[in-house]
Amino acid sequence: MSTEMRADPGLYDYALRPPRLPDPPKPENDHLPIDIEVRVGMYEMQQLIRQTEKRAHDLFLQNLVKGTTHLSLGMEAIATGFARAMRPDDYTFATYRGHAHTIARGADIKKVLAELLGRETGLLKGKGGSMHLTDVEHGMMGSYAIIGAHLCIANGAAWSSQMRGTGQVTVCFFGDGTTNIGAFHEAVNFAALWKLPVVFVCENNLYMEYTPIDLVTPVEHPAADRASAYGLEAVLIDGNDADEVYVTAEEAISRARRGEGPTLVEAVTYRQGGHSRADPGKYRPSEELQAWLDKDPIKLYHQRLLRLGVPESRLTEIAQDVARRVDEATEFAKASPRPGPEHLLTDVWADGGSEWRN
Amino acid sequence: MRQLLTPSGDLVGEAPFGLDLCVRLYRAMVVARSYDRKCVALQKQGRLATYAPFEGQEAAQIGSAAALEPDDWMVATYRDAAAMWAQGYPMELLVAGRTGDERGGSPPDHVNVLPPSITVGGHMVHAVGLAWAERLQGSSRIAITYFGDGATSEGDFHEALNFAGVYGVGCVFFCQNNGWAISMPRSAQTASETIAQKAIAYGMPGVQVDGNDLFAVYEVTRQAVERARAGEGPTLIEAVTYRLGPHTTSDDPGRYRDAGEVEEWRRRDPLERVRIFLSERGRWDPEWQAEVEEKAAREVERAVELAESLPPPAPGDVFGGMFESPPRHLREQQATLELYRAAGEG
């Protein structure tokens, strides 16, 4: 009788693991039927996310950001493609890696950076910080730090839209590690059964913190290979191609809006940095990291737009304009005051204060 | 759906065992049914607490348990007394547990069956832990865990199967899909066509079997057990069966399901088809049935007598049966109780 475990403990030695290389980019996606101005807009959005997040990282190194930050560098195409396909009154639910989704839904980056710096002018008056970015005005219903829990909350929002008959769709983002959490299972099962207008998007960046997802998942595609358990179709896409994300999002969102129920999308991507600001990400083979850096979503998108005839000068202008806006936002955030102690007990309850409870 | 013995007793494939074992398992099913009906009656008399009957699921439980080695682990629910008894859990302790006596939850050391889990789904994780521990110790023991269709929507189901799948743990996941999770029909439980197909999500084989077919249940479980024992990993079995009775003695299924549905399943009785099979092979006649039933009734009576003749538990017993070395706060409470009792008696 064999007593050998299937997961060879040797696999935990990262040096022994084969690199997980990306699929090649798809030039054929140049021909997807997407208006060129929509594409230029998505280029600008990816630039805005990238540059804002890089600035956030710099500010962190200057000790101006309190707490921690989780960046989406390399994953901008997913937030961008989905947000572009959403209606202004649709809902977004994200994880603590939520800067990209907040910005993509149209939040003012001044308020985003101010929030990261803990300033009164921030999205949450400086009391939430990087891991809790929320902007209800733009449908960004929160960044959640408990892995998996927000899928159930997203269901609640979707259910509410269903009952109110508003046609709003909820899009809920989460990482690959979440797919092994019980709440994922409960939420997707429930949504599929009740045909909730929700789109679940697994941003599979191959690592849950420092653990390669394939070490703890018995199937190759942690979300797509699970779809059948809920009677859903498997949808596996290139998460580094904003156009592919956009057309997938349009289809899934329209389906949900038509009352045909949820879609579970797995977008394969890679975080170019570590898990959080405290992690240099040294556990990843350099060959793997390099291959994914070469598949940078913004770089590839830039090349696509050039192929489609957008002048290089226009793209440069966009990038420069974004840089200027990020600078302005940085100055705004730095100049903003910190919330005073009188704000300590406010904004917790819907009725404004906690006084009547005391 | 795998089937070897049709509801009318026709063999459609090869019998997985000889006539002698078939007779033994038939007798076991008769005992199980006798136990189940007795418990319902005892509850009505106020002698048992709430009871969850399993009538209709005897083949699923007896057939699967028969495929185990005597020392394999079993982690089951409040509706799996037949399987637990078949795996060596003393019947009197099963009864005692239902009277509310904590001693019912402490089987003898050589019995590798955990007390029944009331928490839906939570116990599956324990089964995975037991099987994994056996594997790490180089033992060939495997674990089987029983649960219902409702439990498959619990997060614990997902985490248990994922873990077992990725580490190739020798655990057999035995789902008795009895059609109803209390008042929730299977169709309202999950949008997936079968429960067996959920195995795909965990990289393990999934098999759907006629849960009222003793032969097929035994055969698919035997194969899953063999796989687990050989280190080839877990299997998810969906045994399609039916709970003929209420969810528990506190439930009135007439309020949520059709009497016609129950009648239809009554015609697929798991005992009846084996009875026909044995009868056609000269191993069954009405006198023998009467004798089997009488012996079963005596065995159940004996268990009830033993359970009811246990001396009443002492107040301090409430601290036992939980911790190998109790934590400080419980030791303190125990000491307080002793002081209090000493003062009361003095």
Side-chain angles (χ1 to χ4, degrees):
Chain A
M1 197 218 52
S2 158
T3 55
E4 233 171 83
M5 305 238 319
R6 188 189 296 169
D8 178 354
L11 287 174
Y12 292 103
D13 188 338
Y14 293 117
L16 298 177
R17 295 189 66 255
R20 294 240 352 228
L21 303 177
D23 288 336
K26 297 178 187 166
E28 65 269 27
N29 281 350
D30 289 7
H31 309 298
L32 287 172
I34 303 171
D35 185 85
I36 194 67
E37 287 310 311
V38 170
R39 281 175 150 148
V40 171
M42 289 203 286
Y43 177 76
E44 181 180 346
M45 180 53 76
Q46 291 181 85
Q47 279 286 354
L48 185 65
I49 296 168
R50 170 73 53 95
Q51 293 195 32
T52 307
E53 282 212 302
K54 281 192 155 177
R55 178 58 51 86
H57 187 64
D58 292 345
L59 293 168
F60 193 93
L61 296 178
Q62 293 167 38
N63 200 23
L64 286 167
V65 179
K66 302 300 173 189
T68 186
T69 53
H70 302 79
L71 304 179
S72 302
L73 298 178
M75 300 164 60
E76 297 89 347
I78 301 171
T80 300
F82 265 94
R84 186 77 204 194
M86 290 168 81
R87 222 164 67 177
D89 62 340
D90 286 341
Y91 296 131
T92 293
F93 285 79
T95 70
Y96 50 83
R97 198 179 302 286
H99 303 166
H101 297 296
T102 311
I103 297 168
R105 287 307 306 279
D108 183 347
I109 61 164
K110 285 181 175 166
K111 292 182 179 178
V112 170
L113 285 180
E115 185 58 37
L116 263 55
L117 267 56
R119 306 305 166 111
E120 206 181 289
T121 52
L123 283 174
L124 304 162
K125 301 185 189 168
K127 296 189 283 186
S130 162
M131 287 176 81
H132 304 112
L133 291 186
T134 304
D135 187 6
V136 174
E137 196 188 319
H138 290 96
M140 171 58 189
M141 304 306 282
S143 311
Y144 296 82
I146 308 288
I147 308 286
H150 68 302
L151 277 78
C152 303
I153 307 171
N155 270 355
W159 196 11
S160 144
S161 312
Q162 189 186 55
M163 292 176 86
R164 289 181 287 121
T166 59
Q168 289 163 290
V169 171
T170 296
V171 182
C172 179
F173 300 91
F174 52 90
D176 39 289
T178 300
T179 64
N180 290 337
I181 295 277
F184 163 85
H185 179 67
E186 298 185 1
V188 181
N189 185 60
F190 188 92
L193 194 62
W194 291 53
K195 290 197 184 310
L196 297 183
V198 58
V199 182
F200 295 108
V201 186
C202 173
E203 300 178 272
N204 178 7
N205 64 19
L206 312 185
Y207 288 84
M208 38 180 288
E209 297 214 356
Y210 323 120
T211 306
I213 187 65
D214 51 305
L215 276 191
V216 290
T217 311
V219 289
E220 190 183 353
H221 302 295
D225 289 349
R226 262 108 187 231
S228 69
Y230 312 103
L232 299 174
E233 302 272 333
V235 181
L236 184 68
I237 62 166
D238 182 345
N240 281 25
D241 185 329
D243 288 345
E244 185 161 321
V245 173
Y246 175 70
V247 294
T248 307
E250 278 219 306
E251 199 183 317
I253 291 168
S254 332
R255 216 176 94 78
R257 227 186 287 289
R258 287 195 304 268
E260 291 168 23
T263 304
L264 175 60
V265 177
E266 177 173 339
V268 182
T269 183
Y270 200 76
R271 66 169 147 74
Q272 296 177 353
H275 168 73
S276 67
R277 59 91 197 169
D279 168 28
K282 292 289 186 198
Y283 41 85
R284 303 178 301 185
S286 53
E287 181 191 354
E288 176 181 294
L289 179 59
Q290 190 51 53
W292 282 96
L293 287 172
D294 292 343
K295 208 195 169 183
D296 182 85
I298 300 180
K299 192 166 78 184
L300 293 176
Y301 209 62
H302 187 271
Q303 288 162 6
R304 171 170 295 155
L305 292 183
L306 293 181
R307 283 197 300 274
L308 293 172
V310 180
E312 173 108 52
S313 57
R314 187 171 175 202
L315 299 178
T316 309
E317 265 171 44
I318 288 171
Q320 285 169 349
D321 179 56
V322 165
R324 187 184 49 72
R325 284 157 63 194
V326 171
D327 283 342
E328 272 175 28
T330 309
E331 291 317 310
F332 170 82
K334 281 181 173 172
S336 295
R338 296 181 192 283
E342 70 275 16
H343 296 297
L344 192 61
L345 297 176
T346 59
D347 302 309
V348 175
W349 304 98
D351 60 4
S354 59
E355 216 161 290
W356 63 268
R357 289 180 178 81
N358 298 331
Chain B
M1 187 161 70
R2 296 276 293 278
Q3 193 183 56
L4 288 172
L5 194 63
T6 67
S8 45
D10 297 324
L11 193 61
V12 287
E14 208 174 313
F17 39 59
L19 276 176
D20 289 344
L21 181 54
C22 185
V23 166
R24 264 185 29 223
L25 297 180
Y26 179 73
R27 296 183 84 118
M29 291 199 293
V30 172
V31 173
R33 181 158 293 183
S34 175
Y35 166 89
D36 193 56
R37 290 185 174 174
K38 181 72 181 181
C39 285
V40 172
L42 290 174
Q43 196 280 336
K44 305 269 182 228
Q45 295 164 28
R47 289 156 73 185
L48 289 195
T50 309
Y51 178 73
F54 56 73
E55 181 158 341
Q57 302 178 208
E58 292 88 348
Q61 295 191 26
I62 297 295
S64 55
L68 304 173
E69 288 297 323
D71 61 349
D72 283 337
W73 287 99
M74 182 181 285
V75 187
T77 80
Y78 48 80
R79 202 186 304 286
D80 300 318
M84 292 169 67
W85 165 71
Q87 188 62 359
Y89 207 101
M91 191 184 285
E92 61 272 22
L93 292 185
L94 290 166
V95 178
R98 293 321 313 141
T99 65
D101 191 324
E102 289 292 336
R103 287 168 292 191
S106 301
D109 281 345
H110 68 276
V111 175
N112 286 342
V113 182
L114 261 52
S117 170
I118 311 295
T119 309
V120 174
H123 65 297
M124 305 165 74
V125 183
H126 306 161
V128 172
L130 287 164
W132 196 31
E134 293 289 359
R135 175 65 50 79
L136 292 175
Q137 293 173 53
S139 139
S140 65
R141 258 181 231 137
I142 60 105
I144 188 168
T145 180
Y146 292 82
F147 50 96
D149 39 309
T152 65
S153 296
E154 291 283 349
D156 288 323
F157 166 87
H158 184 65
E159 297 185 359
L161 272 78
N162 182 63
F163 195 99
V166 76
Y167 291 113
V169 172
C171 186
V172 177
F173 296 96
F174 194 92
C175 176
Q176 291 172 83
N177 168 8
N178 67 14
W180 292 89
I182 310 189
S183 57
M184 172 84 78
R186 159 61 189 85
S187 59
Q189 189 62 244
T190 172
S192 81
E193 198 176 319
T194 69
I195 285 170
Q197 81 190 49
K198 290 180 186 282
I200 298 167
Y202 312 104
M204 66 175 77
V207 50
Q208 194 185 46
V209 61
D210 179 348
N212 285 13
D213 175 352
L214 179 77
F215 290 26
V217 167
Y218 174 86
E219 184 54 19
V220 301
T221 313
R222 191 189 59 74
Q223 288 168 3
V225 167
E226 249 174 42
R227 263 193 94 236
R229 214 182 296 288
E232 290 163 21
T235 304
L236 172 61
I237 296 172
E238 175 188 2
V240 180
T241 179
Y242 195 77
R243 139 167 87 71
L244 289 167
H247 169 68
T248 67
T249 43
S250 315
D251 170 46
D252 171 13
R255 293 183 60 179
Y256 54 80
R257 71 182 186 188
D258 206 44
E261 180 183 294
V262 183
E263 272 323 297
E264 193 190 313
W265 277 94
R266 184 64 76 183
R267 285 194 289 275
R268 285 183 247 173
D269 189 305
L271 275 72
E272 180 60 10
R273 66 181 82 178
V274 183
R275 186 194 69 74
I276 298 169
F277 175 83
L278 289 175
S279 164
E280 285 172 352
R281 282 152 188 82
R283 295 292 293 260
W284 182 92
D285 60 53
E287 292 78 42
W288 183 75
Q289 176 74 22
E291 182 199 312
V292 169
E293 284 180 12
E294 200 201 310
K295 275 182 82 170
R298 275 208 306 274
E299 184 170 356
V300 173
E301 277 301 343
R302 193 192 125 270
V304 173
E305 275 165 31
L306 280 171
E308 292 189 332
S309 63
L310 281 170
D317 290 356
V318 75
F319 295 102
M322 175 75 79
F323 290 100
E324 176 79 26
S325 27
R328 198 184 66 187
H329 73 280
L330 286 185
R331 290 200 308 271
E332 283 170 5
Q333 287 174 25
Q334 193 166 8
T336 308
L337 175 75
E338 279 159 18
L339 277 175
Y340 179 79
R341 284 177 55 79
E345 282 160 13

